[in-house]
């Protein structure tokens, strides 16, 4: 697994894709938070907090993570190198985990520079350092879990086709469905209890719950279960290719 992980990290940073993904995430977030006028702009909101950043990030990663993962197995299948990996003395699960951690770490590296936003809003407030650290930590914690879920979905989609564009579109649709699909369906229901039940199946509700600064084991279990499910499905998909 470690060899696959190192290979993935090297592949991201020996060509422009790694730098492009990190740069694109930071530029998009920076423009929407500090430059473009609108609902995400910190200055327009009138509050010195990072709420808008954590509202924006899941939507940005909805496109960027499928772009990162689309080549994970699709490229290997297209180049014919997947068969070489499968005959090596490593299990398919270790291969999947290596690909998963490689893409996930790249996304974490994209998020790390945004810590500077914490110091920025600290100075913007009427009272310096007047922000809720628990909410900020909880939001970053929730974002990491959401990124892990997106990454596992993207790696799974990549295992289904040798066409990278198709893998990207499939991952995008699955990530959107998991994050917002259930909430969209809930809006069609009039009964409040049924609405909340349907929303609870979506990642958005669990992400927002963690972002409040309260770590609930149900939210953690939800994200871990989804991530492990798609890792298992990817492993199963690769095993079918060896038969």
């Amino acid at each position: 697994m470690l060899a696959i992980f190192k290979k993935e990290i090297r592949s991201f940073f020996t060509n422009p894709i790694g730098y492009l993904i990190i740069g694109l995430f930071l530029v998009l977030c920076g423009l929407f938070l500090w430059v473009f006028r609108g609902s995400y702009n910190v200055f327009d909101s009138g509050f010195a907090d990072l709420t808008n950043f954590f509202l924006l990030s899941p939507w940005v990663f909805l496109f960027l993570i499928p772009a990162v993962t689309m080549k994970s197995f699709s490229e290997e299948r297209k180049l014919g190198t997947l068969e070489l990996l499968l005959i090596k003395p490593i299990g398919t699960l270790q291969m999947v985990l290596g690909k998963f951690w490689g893409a996930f770490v790249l996304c974490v590296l994209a998020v790390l520079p945004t810590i500077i936003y914490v110091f920025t809003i600290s100075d913007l407030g009427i009272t310096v350092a007047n922000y809720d650290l628990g909410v900020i930590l909880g939001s970053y914690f929730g974002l990491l879990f959401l990124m892990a879920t997106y990454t596992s979905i993207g790696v799974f989609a990549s295992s289904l086709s040798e066409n990278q564009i198709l893998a990207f579109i499939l991952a995008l649709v699955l990530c959107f469905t998991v994050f917002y699909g259930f909430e969209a369906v809930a809006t069609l229901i009039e009964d409040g209890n049924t609405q909340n039940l349907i929303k609870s199946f979506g990642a958005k509700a669990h992400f927002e719950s963690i972002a409040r600064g309260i770590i609930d084991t149900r939210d953690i279990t939800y994200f871990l279960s989804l991530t492990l499910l798609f890792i298992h499905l990817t492993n199963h998909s690769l095993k079918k290719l060896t038969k």
Side-chain angles (χ1 to χ4, degrees), residues 11-27:
S11 70
F12 285 132
F13 291 104
T14 52
N15 62 63
I17 186 170
Y19 304 101
L20 179 63
I21 294 299
I22 293 175
L24 193 57
F25 174 76
L26 295 175
V27 168

Side-chain angles (χ1 to χ4, degrees), residues 10-242:
R10 281 197 302 269
S11 70
F12 285 132
F13 291 104
T14 52
N15 62 63
I17 186 170
Y19 304 101
L20 179 63
I21 294 299
I22 293 175
L24 193 57
F25 174 76
L26 295 175
V27 168
L28 285 175
C29 288
L31 289 174
F32 278 100
L33 290 174
W34 310 103
V35 180
F36 295 155
R37 303 296 296 272
S39 58
Y40 290 113
N41 190 285
V42 173
F43 300 109
D44 289 344
S45 69
F47 296 96
D49 61 31
L50 287 181
T51 300
N52 290 337
F53 169 67
F54 293 111
L55 288 175
L56 176 65
S57 295
W59 295 104
V60 177
F61 275 128
L62 188 66
F63 293 91
L64 291 189
I65 290 182
V68 171
T69 58
M70 67 181 184
K71 74 179 189 67
S72 296
F73 289 108
S74 296
E75 187 177 54
E76 303 281 6
R77 292 181 62 174
K78 186 175 182 179
L79 297 177
T81 54
L82 181 60
E83 289 76 8
L84 297 177
L85 288 175
L86 292 174
I87 62 175
K88 288 187 176 182
I90 58 172
T92 54
L93 180 58
Q94 284 71 31
M95 190 191 311
V96 172
L97 290 174
K99 296 279 189 180
F100 167 81
W101 284 112
F104 179 69
V105 167
L106 176 65
C107 296
V108 172
L109 292 176
V111 171
L112 281 179
T114 65
I115 294 175
I116 195 173
Y117 294 162
V118 179
F119 299 100
T120 303
I121 63 162
S122 173
D123 292 336
L124 285 176
I126 297 175
T127 303
V128 176
N130 185 27
Y131 57 84
D132 193 330
L133 183 59
V135 171
I136 291 176
L137 290 177
S139 297
Y140 271 112
F141 199 56
L143 187 58
L144 289 177
F145 276 111
L146 184 63
M147 286 159 48
T149 301
Y150 281 176
T151 303
S152 65
I153 292 173
V155 171
F156 167 66
S158 181
S159 71
L160 298 178
S161 172
E162 65 179 32
N163 188 313
Q164 293 187 35
I165 302 301
L166 182 60
F168 171 81
I169 294 173
L170 179 58
L172 177 62
V173 171
L174 286 174
C175 287
F176 176 82
T177 301
V178 167
F179 182 70
Y180 187 73
F182 291 98
E183 182 159 325
V185 172
T187 60
L188 304 175
I189 309 298
E190 294 184 358
D191 181 67
N193 291 329
T194 306
Q195 276 189 350
N196 291 331
L197 177 62
I198 294 175
K199 286 181 181 180
S200 68
F201 290 104
K204 188 172 184 288
H206 292 276
F207 172 72
E208 290 175 347
S209 176
I210 296 179
R212 296 188 188 102
I214 302 173
I215 307 301
D216 192 323
T217 54
R218 289 174 297 183
D219 300 321
I220 296 174
T221 301
Y222 172 85
F223 283 115
L224 287 178
S225 298
L226 264 185
T227 301
L228 292 174
L229 171 64
F230 280 101
I231 287 175
H232 169 73
L233 291 175
T234 308
N235 184 44
H236 179 69
S237 174
L238 291 178
K239 284 185 175 180
K240 286 178 63 177
L241 293 176
T242 63

